Amino acid sequence: MSLNKSMHPRNRYKDKPPDFGYLASKYPDFQHYVHTSLAGRPVVNFKEPEAVRALTCTLLKEDFGLTIEIPLERLIPTVPLRLNYIHWVEDLIDGQKQPRRGIDIGTGASCIYPLLGATMNGWYFLATEVDDICFDYATKNVEQNNMADLIKVVKVPQKTLLMDALKEETQMVYDFCMCNPPFFANQLEAKGVNSRNSRRPPPSSVNTGGVTEIMAEGGELEFVKRIIHDSLQLKKRLRWYSCMLGKKCTLAPLKEELRKQGVPKVTHTEFCQGRTMRWALAWSFYDDVIAPSPPSKKRKLEKVKKPLSFTLPEAALRELQVKASALGGKGRGPVDAVTALLEKTLCGLRVLHKRVPCTKPEQSLFLTAVENTWIHGRQKRREGSRHLREVPRVPQRAGTSSTPAAQNQCEGAAGDTASAREATGRRRPDEPVGNGASLSSGETRGDATGEHAAEPKEAAVNVAVGDADMTSFTCADLGRETAAGEPPCKRPLSPAGEHFLFRCLLNVVPEESDVVIEMHWVEGQSKDLMNQLCTYLKNTMLRSVSKP
C-alpha cells in the first residue's frame, strides 16, 4: 500500500511521483535500470543497489540541479524521505527560504541533508562524519556543487556526536540539528531477525550501508539517548534537536526520557513515502519556540472511498433494452432501460427508492432499505414452489384474462393471483408458507375477494420460473397503494426517526459502450447489507440476459 498521500504537504513527490519513463529517456545512465512491467508501465527494481543509486542521482540532478557520487558499499538515501525531513525542520524553525544554521550528525557519503537544505533554503550546515570513505565522498560532493561556502564537512572521532563537534565554536548558536542514526544494534537486527514482525512482508528495497551507518551499540535507542545527554549540557546552544527513527517502538521510551529530564518542548511526527514509514523526534529548551502538533493518534491514512459497482457490457444492454421496452415507453436508451429494470427489481424487494436530480446522461436513485428482502431469495422461491406443488390448486374463474394487455392491469380476483403464482413458481413475500397459505377447496370465492377488496389489483404475468426475478411484476407484491395511488416503493423517504437498515445513492452511469452501476454508502447499520443488495442486483440483471 502506497503512503504517498500522507507525505508532507510541500513534498514535491506527494502528488507527482517520479516519471521513470521520462527520466529514462532523458538520462541514459538511468535508462539501463528501467524495465517494462507486464502491465506496460516503466518500473525500477529497488532490490538492485545500482538501480537505487541511479534513481537517487537522477532525481537530485533533475529536480534540484545537484550532481553527486555515492559508493555502493555505503548508504544510498532515497530522496522523497530526506525531503520529508527537510520540510519538517522548516516547520520547526520557520526556516523556509530563510537563512538558518544547522548541524547534520553523520552526514554520510551523499551529504544529502546539507545539499538539499543549502539548495532549497540557503541554510548553512556543519556536517560531521566518522567514516573515512563517507567523509571523502561528502567533501567531493560539496565541492563539485559549489557549496563550500554554505556546507562545512568535518571529520570527527568515533562516537562523537555534538559536544566534541562544537568545541571549536563555543559562541555559535545553531537553529537545529538533524540526525539519521544507525537503526540496528547488531547484524541479526540488520537482517530482520527478531526485529521485524513476522506478519510484515519483506522489505521492498535493498539495505545498503557501512557498519557505522547502520549499526551502533544499543541500536538507535541508545544512540539517540546519547544525543539527549549532550543536549542536556548544550541546552540553548541549539534551538531544536531532532532525530529520525526507523522503529516506532523507539519513540515512546525516548519521549519518556525527555519527560524525566524536564525538557519543556517535545514533539514528533511521521514520515510516509512509498511503502516506508519513519518517525522523527524533536525537543527544545526554548520557551518561545512553537512546536508543530504531532499527528493525531486516531489519524488514518487517506483512503479514497470507492463505491460498490458492477458493469453491464454492451451485449447485455441490448437485451435489457428489449426487456425494458416491454414495461412501456419506447425508445429507451441504455441508461433509462437499466434504471427502469432496477426500479422494478427494487419494487419487488420493497426497497424504497426515489429519483434524484443528476447530470443528463446519468440516472440516480436514493435508496432506503427498511428490511432485508434480498437474502436467501433462492431458498424462499424453492419453498414457495414446493408448497404450491403440495397444496390443492384453486380452479381459475372463468373470464379471467391472460392477454398481454391485461397482464399490467390490477385485478383483485384471488383466482388471478393464484394463476400468476402458478405461472411464475413464486409466492407473495407476505404470504406464509405454512397452513393456510393458499385457499383450500372449502373456502368460498366471496371470502377471498372480500378480504382483499381494498387492496390494489394484481397483474398476472406468464413467464418462466427461472426468469421470475426480472420479468415477473405484480402490484400486490409491492404492498398497498396510498390514497394518491403511489406504491410504497415510490413514496417519499421515511422520516429520520423511522427504522431503516441503510440508505445509499445508486448511480447508473454510461461508460463508453457499457453502463456502470455504482452504489455510494450514505448511512445505516452495516455496509455488508449494501454489499449484499449490490450483489443481488448484479446477479439479477446478468441472469435475466443469460436466459432465452
Side-chain angles (χ1 to χ4, degrees):
M1 178 181 62
S2 177
L3 306 174
N4 287 356
K5 292 298 181 182
S6 296
M7 278 187 178
H8 192 283
R10 293 196 299 275
N11 195 313
R12 65 185 302 138
Y13 304 110
K14 181 179 186 295
D15 299 314
K16 188 178 180 182
D19 186 340
F20 294 154
Y22 168 76
L23 295 174
S25 65
K26 187 173 181 179
Y27 298 94
D29 293 341
F30 178 60
Q31 186 177 16
H32 299 298
Y33 305 103
V34 178
H35 312 285
T36 303
S37 68
L38 295 177
R41 296 180 298 177
V43 295
V44 172
N45 183 2
F46 287 93
K47 291 189 176 294
E48 294 182 10
E50 296 86 353
V52 177
R53 178 175 65 177
L55 176 60
T56 294
C57 294
T58 301
L59 290 178
L60 290 175
K61 180 66 175 178
E62 172 69 16
D63 297 326
F64 302 96
L66 296 171
T67 302
I68 67 170
E69 297 179 18
I70 312 171
L72 289 176
E73 63 272 14
R74 292 297 182 267
L75 188 66
I76 302 172
T78 54
V79 179
L81 171 57
R82 271 58 181 183
L83 200 55
N84 272 340
Y85 196 174
I86 289 287
H87 287 313
W88 189 57
V89 172
E90 291 173 351
D91 297 336
L92 287 172
I93 64 175
D94 191 23
Q96 189 179 6
K97 303 295 184 182
Q98 300 293 328
R100 297 286 188 266
R101 290 184 175 271
I103 302 173
D104 182 18
I105 303 172
T107 193
S110 63
C111 198
I112 188 168
Y113 288 128
L115 288 174
L116 287 175
T119 301
M120 296 167 57
N121 300 313
W123 291 347
Y124 171 84
F125 269 91
L126 174 64
T128 68
E129 183 54 58
V130 300
D131 182 79
D132 291 332
I133 295 178
C134 288
F135 172 76
D136 293 339
Y137 271 89
T139 302
K140 182 179 180 180
N141 287 331
V142 170
E143 291 175 351
Q144 67 183 2
N145 287 285
N146 301 317
M147 294 286 184
D149 56 334
L150 293 175
I151 302 172
K152 179 182 179 182
V153 183
V154 296
K155 178 74 165 57
V156 295
Q158 287 281 351
K159 297 186 178 181
T160 297
L161 297 178
L162 287 172
M163 292 295 296
D164 294 336
L166 296 179
K167 279 183 179 179
E168 298 181 0
E169 301 180 17
T170 57
Q171 302 301 320
M172 182 72 69
V173 175
Y174 285 84
D175 293 285
F176 65 92
C177 75
M178 305 177 68
C179 182
N180 186 13
F183 293 157
F184 310 111
N186 50 53
Q187 285 283 1
L188 291 178
E189 275 196 12
K191 294 179 180 179
V193 179
N194 299 327
S195 66
R196 190 177 183 87
N197 193 312
S198 59
R199 293 174 296 179
R200 292 179 60 191
S204 58
S205 59
V206 67
N207 182 17
T208 64
V211 175
T212 59
E213 293 179 299
I214 65 174
M215 287 185 293
E217 184 179 353
E220 66 180 9
L221 177 61
E222 294 302 322
F223 192 95
V224 178
K225 281 186 177 180
R226 288 165 50 203
I227 297 179
I228 293 176
H229 182 268
D230 281 3
S231 72
L232 293 174
Q233 300 179 60
L234 294 170
K235 289 198 173 180
K236 294 191 175 182
R237 287 286 306 278
L238 284 81
R239 293 183 65 84
W240 279 104
Y241 300 85
S242 74
C243 289
M244 185 169 71
L245 306 172
K247 303 174 186 177
K248 186 177 182 180
C249 61
T250 308
L251 187 61
L254 290 175
K255 290 171 65 177
E256 177 63 17
E257 179 68 19
L258 291 168
R259 187 192 66 79
K260 289 180 180 179
Q261 299 297 338
V263 179
K265 293 294 180 72
V266 179
T267 188
H268 70 277
T269 192
E270 298 172 351
F271 298 145
C272 306
Q273 53 283 311
R275 290 193 292 173
T276 302
M277 284 193 70
R278 293 289 184 263
W279 295 263
L281 178 67
W283 63 97
S284 176
F285 295 90
Y286 283 81
D287 294 326
D288 61 339
V289 297
I290 299 176
S293 299
S296 171
K297 292 182 179 180
K298 296 183 179 180
R299 186 184 68 83
K300 294 184 178 180
L301 298 178
E302 298 176 12
K303 292 183 179 180
V304 178
K305 295 183 179 180
K306 295 182 180 180
L308 298 176
S309 65
F310 60 91
T311 302
L312 298 175
E314 182 181 8
L317 292 176
R318 288 192 289 268
E319 295 188 41
L320 292 175
Q321 285 180 271
V322 174
K323 292 180 180 293
S325 63
L327 300 178
K330 298 182 179 179
R332 292 180 186 265
V335 172
D336 293 333
V338 171
T339 304
L341 292 174
L342 285 172
E343 287 181 313
K344 173 185 170 183
T345 305
L346 293 170
C347 281
L349 295 172
R350 301 192 299 277
V351 175
L352 304 179
H353 60 278
K354 180 179 181 180
R355 293 203 182 194
V356 295
C358 60
T359 55
K360 189 173 182 180
E362 302 179 7
Q363 290 285 1
S364 290
L365 301 174
F366 190 85
L367 311 186
T368 301
V370 180
E371 59 178 321
N372 189 339
T373 56
W374 52 85
I375 195 171
H376 303 316
R378 180 179 297 179
Q379 179 180 351
K380 293 176 182 177
R381 290 195 299 272
R382 286 177 178 173
E383 291 178 355
S385 178
R386 182 170 57 251
H387 175 74
L388 289 175
R389 289 196 301 269
E390 293 174 353
V391 299
R393 298 178 181 177
V394 179
Q396 183 173 344
R397 192 170 65 177
T400 300
S401 173
S402 60
T403 61
Q407 289 177 359
N408 290 326
Q409 296 178 356
C410 297
E411 300 181 1
D416 295 340
T417 304
S419 301
R421 290 197 299 272
E422 183 178 340
T424 60
R426 297 179 65 187
R427 60 183 178 86
R428 285 172 45 178
D430 56 348
E431 182 178 304
V433 179
N435 295 333
S438 62
L439 295 173
S440 65
S441 57
E443 288 179 321
T444 62
R445 299 295 300 176
D447 293 336
T449 55
E451 181 181 355
H452 300 289
E455 291 189 8
K457 299 178 182 180
E458 249 176 31
V461 185
N462 296 321
V463 293
V465 173
D467 204 25
D469 285 335
M470 279 300 303
T471 55
S472 64
F473 177 74
T474 62
C475 297
D477 284 344
L478 306 181
R480 297 169 175 78
E481 290 182 351
T482 63
E486 277 193 284
C489 57
K490 291 286 188 177
R491 293 175 193 169
L493 298 180
S494 57
E498 194 169 319
H499 169 76
F500 63 90
L501 296 179
F502 70 87
R503 291 188 174 113
C504 70
L505 186 67
L506 186 149
N507 292 335
V508 184
V509 185
E511 191 172 277
E512 297 181 353
S513 57
D514 304 331
V515 169
V516 177
I517 288 83
E518 299 177 344
M519 296 181 70
H520 299 260
W521 175 262
V522 176
E523 61 177 337
Q525 299 178 12
S526 173
K527 292 185 179 180
D528 290 338
L529 295 172
M530 185 178 75
N531 194 6
Q532 293 172 6
L533 179 58
C534 181
T535 303
Y536 180 92
L537 295 176
K538 174 185 176 182
N539 293 340
T540 301
M541 299 292 284
L542 295 178
R543 186 167 57 241
S544 69
V545 299
S546 64
K547 296 181 181 180

